[in-house]
Amino acid sequence: MKNKKIFRMAFLAMMIAILVMMMFTPLGYIPLGVLRITTMHIPVLITAMVLGKKEGMLMGALFGISSVIINTLQPTLTSFVFSPFITVGTVNGNGYSLIIAVLPRILLGWSSGMIYERLASYKNETSRIILSAFVGTLTNTLLVLGGIYLFFGSAYAAVRGIEYSTLLTVLLTTILTNGILEILLALVICLAAVKALQTRKLKS
């Protein structure tokens, strides 16, 4: 029991350190025009599957906080949707920015951990990991883009230089491009990492 507790604490500390390292390097937030492709969801997913949904939610909250920090210190034209401290023209970030930045990331950790736990009796471990990573990543993507549309639709369209009437199409396109790339990265890395950890547990 003591060894298990030490493992959990050490693993969580390691994943937090990885998340912080990714935050301050190009590995975590990859610039793509006015948008950023993120890999920060991957440590959240791995933690949720290995330790559980509570730890996954903690990592998700840290991911969300890192998003606020990065978009404040290294702003792009659309950073106001993630940081209440950014102003673009007459558009100000606000409390909704914090909701978009943090809440979807907490639910990312919860949903991934919940799916993984619910499928505990599932014999195909590969499918279990894939489903958990897929659901978690898609949860994050849909809630972030949905929050942008709901809370900042007109302002977001304006700074992107598009008509508000086409915004929904643009966001759906983002899901089919950036979103799919983030899902594929999550599937490949989570599958390798979680299976490797399971193999090490079996040998120890």
Side-chain angles (χ1 to χ4, degrees):
M1 182 65 73
K2 185 177 180 180
N3 287 341
K4 184 178 180 180
K5 185 176 181 180
I6 291 173
F7 166 79
R8 293 178 66 85
M9 292 176 62
F11 187 82
L12 181 60
M14 179 181 71
M15 298 309 290
I16 290 173
I18 290 172
L19 195 75
V20 172
M21 180 273 292
M22 292 173 66
M23 170 186 169
F24 289 108
T25 67
L27 294 174
Y29 294 96
I30 304 168
L32 189 65
V34 298
L35 303 175
R36 287 186 174 104
I37 295 177
T38 181
T39 58
M40 297 285 283
H41 60 301
I42 295 174
V44 180
L45 294 169
I46 294 172
T47 302
M49 284 184 251
V50 174
L51 299 183
K53 56 182 179 289
K54 289 182 180 179
E55 289 81 0
M57 291 170 69
L58 171 62
M59 288 287 290
L62 294 175
F63 171 16
I65 292 168
S66 79
S67 180
V68 175
I69 293 172
I70 286 296
N71 280 282
T72 301
L73 298 180
Q74 301 173 14
T76 66
L77 278 176
T78 58
S79 285
F80 65 91
V81 302
F82 296 109
S83 172
F85 310 109
I86 295 298
T87 299
V88 177
T90 59
V91 181
N92 299 310
N94 52 45
Y96 291 129
S97 307
L98 293 177
I99 293 174
I100 294 172
V102 178
L103 183 59
R105 280 64 191 266
I106 292 175
L107 294 177
L108 152 69
W110 177 83
S111 60
S112 178
M114 183 271 294
I115 293 293
Y116 193 77
E117 289 175 9
R118 290 288 180 89
L119 298 178
S121 59
Y122 201 56
K123 292 183 180 180
N124 190 327
E125 182 63 18
T126 297
S127 297
R128 185 183 177 201
I129 296 169
I130 287 174
L131 284 170
S132 300
F134 176 81
V135 170
T137 306
L138 189 62
T139 296
N140 175 58
T141 300
L142 291 178
L143 289 178
V144 167
L145 295 181
I148 290 172
Y149 184 81
L150 180 63
F151 299 125
F152 293 104
S154 298
Y156 187 82
V159 300
R160 290 286 305 272
I162 59 177
E163 296 292 331
Y164 177 71
S165 59
T166 66
L167 178 59
L168 188 57
T169 301
V170 170
L171 294 178
L172 289 174
T173 302
T174 302
I175 293 173
L176 294 175
T177 53
N178 296 13
I180 288 178
L181 179 57
E182 289 175 3
I183 287 172
L184 290 175
L185 282 171
L187 297 184
V188 172
I189 297 174
C190 288
L191 194 58
V194 176
K195 279 205 164 188
L197 287 164
Q198 290 169 341
T199 300
R200 184 167 183 177
K201 277 186 178 181
L202 291 172
K203 289 181 178 179
S204 59

